[in-house]
Amino acid sequence: MRRFSLNQATTKYWPMEDLVAGCVDAGVTGVGLWREETAAYGLEKTAALVRDAGLAVTSLCRGGFFNSPDWYDENRRAIDEAATLGAPALVLVSGGLPQGSRDIDGARAQVGAAIGELVPHALSAGVQLAIEPLHPMFASDRCVVASLGQALDLAAPYPSEAVGVVVDTYHVWWDDQVWTQIERAGREKRIACFQVADWITPLPEGVLLGRGLPGAGSVELRRFREAVDATGFEGPVEVEVFHADVWARPGREVLDAALAGYREHVA
């Protein structure tokens, strides 16, 4: 349980101060933060709040969206924010196809080139860029990187301390190559962040908010944890859930449910 980290997205409407106090009260030692909520509370104020509470920031979401005109400046800002918060990894959601384009290979190549432009700044800031593959249903509008293998291929030209990958069970559980690719990620020292959420059906309209708390769906979560552990990864395990019904519940109730599901189905 010492590795459990609560990703802020799981308790989306829990105010920052309550989130931090709730984690401390529950014995949780790590939190994954989001840029929007951090900016709303204040970057320096958030950094001080978390630091004074003795919590580790396990990741910052998110950078990426390399199909946006301002991607370079925006991602440099995100790297700096991660450094201020003490987050070791900045999660990158790469963005979908450029408007009017059907060239998914070209879009992926652009992601790799864009990451390369950010590597010097990431190295100087001590922040690892963490490429997150998303489920293929998001490829057109949200993330052209649709498998762990693709993410590792994009990371390969760059130093592992600068560029890694995210293993998120919700997005990669369907892939029959994922176990081989997790082993590869371990060999290449690329696992920057490990996130768990369950896959539940039917998916809601818009599909984005279809994640479940551990144990609510179809994913062999413990198998993923064991596979990631087998690579030598000893870092935090973030529970990251997007679901309207989860968000509607009190934050502490959700945290307790996440801890119980983690204990039973992950740890």
Side-chain angles (χ1 to χ4, degrees):
M1 298 303 295
R2 63 181 174 79
R3 295 171 63 190
F4 176 94
S5 175
L6 178 67
N7 189 285
Q8 188 173 27
T10 306
T11 54
K12 184 174 177 64
Y13 301 116
W14 210 9
M16 185 73 76
E17 291 181 356
D18 295 342
L19 166 73
V20 170
C23 285
V24 171
D25 185 61
V28 172
T29 59
V31 290
L33 297 179
W34 280 67
R35 294 182 67 205
E36 294 86 350
E37 284 75 9
T38 297
Y41 188 75
L43 177 64
E44 299 287 349
K45 189 178 175 184
T46 301
L49 176 70
V50 173
R51 181 178 61 250
D52 292 347
L55 295 179
V57 179
T58 54
S59 72
L60 180 65
C61 285
R62 62 193 175 198
F65 289 94
F66 298 113
N67 55 338
S68 300
D70 62 345
W71 68 264
Y72 181 73
D73 291 338
E74 187 62 28
N75 278 277
R76 283 177 61 92
R77 280 192 290 271
I79 291 168
D80 292 340
E81 291 166 17
T84 297
L85 293 166
L90 173 67
V91 175
L92 302 180
V93 175
S94 300
L97 291 169
Q99 188 170 1
S101 173
R102 294 181 174 86
D103 183 7
I104 195 166
D105 293 335
R108 287 190 187 121
Q110 161 60 15
V111 169
I115 289 170
E117 291 190 45
L118 295 171
V119 161
H121 192 60
L123 284 170
S124 66
V127 173
Q128 191 177 25
L129 303 172
I131 305 170
E132 181 171 20
L134 267 58
H135 190 280
M137 66 182 173
F138 296 111
S140 66
D141 65 339
R142 190 166 293 270
C143 187
V144 294
V145 182
S147 72
L148 188 57
Q150 290 171 5
L152 287 165
D153 288 345
L154 290 170
Y158 310 114
S160 60
E161 62 268 27
V163 185
V165 297
V166 179
V167 178
D168 185 324
T169 60
Y170 177 78
H171 290 300
V172 301
W173 75 277
W174 58 273
D175 185 358
D176 65 347
Q177 298 301 307
V178 71
W179 312 113
T180 299
Q181 295 303 325
I182 288 173
E183 291 177 3
R184 173 189 171 191
R187 289 196 307 273
E188 297 176 5
K189 302 187 184 305
R190 297 284 182 183
I191 300 178
C193 186
F194 178 37
Q195 297 177 332
V196 297
D198 225 327
W199 179 280
I200 55 175
T201 50
L203 293 174
E205 183 178 358
V207 305
L208 183 63
L209 306 186
R211 295 172 175 238
L213 290 165
S218 308
V219 184
E220 290 184 285
L221 296 173
R222 183 171 290 106
R223 183 181 180 190
F224 271 94
R225 197 266 303 156
E226 290 172 346
V228 170
D229 284 0
T231 70
F233 179 82
E234 297 179 344
V237 184
E238 291 186 7
V239 173
E240 184 191 54
V241 173
F242 307 160
H243 199 288
D245 291 346
V246 174
W247 290 346
R249 296 163 61 183
R252 181 55 194 261
E253 180 181 307
V254 173
L255 173 56
D256 289 344
L259 282 162
Y262 176 90
R263 184 180 294 109
E264 182 174 355
H265 298 283
V266 181

